[in-house]
Amino acid sequence: MADAPDQASTSKRVDGRLVPAVLVTWSAALAGGFLGAAWSWTLAGVLAVLGVALTVLGRRRRPAGARARTVPATLALACVLGASVAVHCAVTAGGREEGPLVEAVAGGDGVVIKVLVTGTPVAVLTPGRSSGTRWSVPANLIELTSGGTVVRGNADLVVVGGEGWQGVLPGQSVRTTGTLKEVRQGQSQAALLAASSPPVITASDVDIRGSAASQRQSFVTAAKWLPPDAAGLLPGMVTGDTSALPESLDADMKTTGMTHLTAVSGANCSLVLGAFILLARCLKLPRPVAAAFAAAGLAAFVVLVGPDASVLRAAVMGIVGLAALVGGLRGRSLTFLCLASLLLLLVDPAMAANVGFLLSVLATLGIVLLARRLTSWIPAIVPRWLAAGVAVPLSAQLVCGPVIVALQPQFTPYALIANVVAGPLVAPVTILGTIAVPLTTVLPWLAVVVIAIAGTCAGAVAGVARLFAHLPGAALPWAEGPVGIVSMAICSMVTAWFVWAALHPAGVMNHVLSLHGAIVVLLERVAPPRHGRLEASKETSGRNHLWLLPKTPGPKVSRRTPSAGGMRHRPP
């Protein structure tokens, strides 16, 4: 009974008015990635007209209820934000269709190109290549020479090259040769350059992103003395660098549903943000100063790790939450998530087609909507930190399950328990590892001690993945396509019901008795019994139970009728 008011108060604070805006904006961004410039402009115009019409309709109508006044304004805001994203997509598509790389892409000839590296190299799998690692590097065009013609302009592209490309840093200007190709549908870049030669550095004006990349490489080098699993997993959990991660460990992490731990995710940003807030409280800083201190620390962590989709989402949501905390708003987690998603989609609509971004938002949505409720189901005798440690991964897994089986049609029965066991080890790895990154340059001898502690915890996480990945039935086959998605969604709902039923046996019994009484009443109304009667018996609890009692047969009476041959019996 004591939990009822708390649940009611938390449910009242769930504000879903920004959900339509997120859905419309996400849909417009996803459509804009696959449409041309003309169709994107058309979509933007249609959404803008709808937004204006809904605004006028909301002002003309003066209904009595506040809800009726809010609906047109909410839908109008969704249309306006969707139109803004469509305009962004139209501009990007226009640059791809009429930019400086159009002729070179259409010709398919070899080019000599000079580009500015804008991101860190990422290892990619290239179909048809059995050996050698290929690297994907985001870059910006400086100069292009094709067929004796020199073209200068501004266009984003992706360079895919082999040996030598893993060492380039953001801010460097490099020259190379290769062939320009079209990008896949949904990508925001203007072209893809298949590099045929190693990069030649022409200018090394490394910016802050390049310095962060160098710091990440130094951290990987400083952790090489650890055992192979710990040396590969520690940089991935701290800085997102998975270059040293063993392939067998990567496969085991996927099998046990722990892939999100092999790279930086929203959980790492939350831990770093919480650590800075705790440090600000220990220093007894005023609330605005503490918020600025925590935001600056989170921004430094994001720069160190790199602007990945999930990291950016977690960082933006952390900043919005801090702003709301300073302003006195609390408990509006769904609103914070919607604001973060809208900001990221407005800045980079290409995130709409990013599966990692989708899983990150869905995991946060599951935590926002289900984690507190699942925690309240667990008996009070269980410590709250342990209850939350079970409820958070369970709620995220229930929501992300259908999307995961769509990408990889298999069921991992040990995913929940593996994440619960490894959960307490994530915090020391993230916090101590983040502290060790700058120490590798400033105080290398002290960094060894911190890396040893964080590496031990990372090795324990790897051990958990190894253990559960080799248990019988660790990876069970699952149906593919829509059937697998729907069946996993049903399985998630059934799992949530079984969890509630296991923790509330009295409630299950009450529901069973109520269902029994409803069925009896329904049967009596539909088909009244011919040879029975319904009697209601009241127990001391005050419940009415209907029992169908058979009719007691009476004594047989024989009737005799006179006949010519004497007396005979008439059938009753």
Side-chain angles (χ1 to χ4, degrees), residues 370 373-379 390-391 394-395 398 416 491-505 508:
L370 301 178
R373 187 177 297 274
L374 292 178
T375 304
S376 66
W377 290 353
I378 300 177
V390 176
L394 177 59
S395 57
L398 291 177
L416 176 61
C491 181
S492 297
M493 292 186 289
V494 172
T495 300
W497 185 88
F498 269 113
V499 170
W500 179 87
L503 298 175
H504 297 80
V508 173

Side-chain angles (χ1 to χ4, degrees), residues 92 96 138-139 155-158 182-184 186-192 350:
T92 302
R96 187 168 53 246
D156 293 330
L157 65 152
V158 178
E182 293 184 356
V183 296
R184 295 194 305 267
Q187 288 185 301
S188 60
Q189 290 81 8
L192 183 146

Side-chain angles (χ1 to χ4, degrees), residues 237-250:
M237 295 182 67
V238 176
T239 64
D241 190 339
T242 58
S243 58
L245 186 68
E247 294 183 2
S248 58
L249 179 59
D250 188 20

Side-chain angles (χ1 to χ4, degrees), residues 122-511:
V122 178
V124 295
L125 296 176
T126 305
R129 289 182 177 268
S130 57
S131 62
T133 303
R134 305 287 287 178
W135 301 88
S136 174
V137 183
N140 189 270
L141 174 66
I142 298 178
E143 183 180 279
L144 170 69
T145 304
S146 176
T149 304
V150 178
V151 178
R152 294 182 179 87
N154 185 16
D156 293 330
L157 65 152
V158 178
V159 182
V160 178
E163 192 68 27
W165 285 98
Q166 73 274 16
V168 296
L169 299 175
Q172 292 179 338
S173 298
V174 299
R175 180 182 287 109
T176 185
T177 59
T179 305
L180 289 173
K181 302 179 181 179
E182 293 184 356
V183 296
R184 295 194 305 267
Q185 289 289 336
Q187 288 185 301
S188 60
Q189 290 81 8
L192 183 146
L193 175 66
S196 58
S197 62
V200 177
I201 300 175
T202 59
S204 184
D205 187 12
V206 179
D207 55 9
I208 188 172
R209 294 171 299 176
S211 301
S214 301
Q215 196 68 44
R216 291 196 297 269
Q217 293 178 1
S218 300
F219 183 67
V220 174
T221 304
K224 281 186 176 180
W225 62 272
L226 295 172
D229 285 353
L233 186 59
L234 179 60
M237 295 182 67
V238 176
T239 64
D241 190 339
T242 58
S243 58
L245 186 68
E247 294 183 2
S248 58
L249 179 59
D250 188 20
D252 290 343
M253 298 288 282
K254 292 179 180 179
T255 302
T256 54
M258 300 170 64
T259 311
H260 61 283
L261 297 179
T262 59
V264 174
S265 63
N268 300 83
C269 288
S270 300
L271 289 170
V272 171
L273 183 64
F276 277 104
I277 292 176
L278 182 60
L279 180 59
R281 288 184 177 180
C282 293
L283 296 176
K284 298 182 179 180
L285 298 177
R287 180 175 291 183
V289 178
F293 176 74
L298 181 60
F301 178 75
V302 171
V303 171
L304 174 65
V305 173
D308 188 62
S310 61
V311 177
L312 283 177
R313 190 272 312 160
V316 173
M317 185 173 178
I319 294 174
V320 174
L322 282 173
L325 182 62
V326 172
L329 299 177
R330 303 186 182 202
R332 299 186 179 274
S333 301
L334 182 59
T335 302
F336 297 160
L337 176 60
C338 292
L339 286 174
S341 302
L342 289 171
L343 288 174
L344 292 172
L345 291 173
L346 289 171
V347 172
D348 186 9
M351 284 190 181
N354 191 320
V355 178
F357 177 66
L358 173 62
L359 290 174
S360 180
V361 173
L362 289 179
T364 307
L365 180 64
I367 294 172
V368 167
L369 298 180
L370 301 178
R372 184 181 295 273
R373 187 177 297 274
L374 292 178
T375 304
S376 66
W377 290 353
I378 300 177
I381 193 174
V382 180
R384 292 298 90 186
W385 62 267
L386 180 59
V390 176
V392 169
L394 177 59
S395 57
Q397 186 175 355
L398 291 177
V399 179
C400 294
V403 178
I404 293 175
V405 297
L407 301 174
Q408 187 177 4
Q410 72 176 24
F411 177 66
T412 54
Y414 306 123
L416 176 61
I417 185 172
N419 280 277
V420 171
V421 173
L425 301 170
V426 176
V429 172
T430 302
I431 297 174
L432 294 178
T434 304
I435 295 173
V437 172
L439 290 179
T440 56
T441 304
V442 180
L443 297 173
W445 60 271
L446 183 58
V448 173
V449 180
V450 182
I451 288 175
I453 302 174
T456 302
C457 297
V461 174
V464 172
R466 296 281 194 189
L467 172 64
F468 287 97
H470 292 85
L471 291 178
L476 303 177
W478 196 266
E480 299 182 4
V483 176
I485 297 174
V486 174
S487 59
M488 179 54 69
I490 296 175
C491 181
S492 297
M493 292 186 289
V494 172
T495 300
W497 185 88
F498 269 113
V499 170
W500 179 87
L503 298 175
H504 297 80
V508 173
M509 183 59 64
N510 291 335
H511 282 77

Side-chain angles (χ1 to χ4, degrees), residues 17-18 20-22 24-25 44 46-59 68-84:
R17 286 177 293 180
L18 288 179
V22 174
V24 174
T25 304
V46 171
L47 290 175
V49 171
L50 285 177
V52 173
L54 288 170
T55 303
V56 173
L57 179 63
R59 289 186 176 183
R69 291 194 300 269
T70 304
V71 171
T74 301
L75 297 179
L77 176 63
C79 293
V80 170
L81 293 176
S84 302

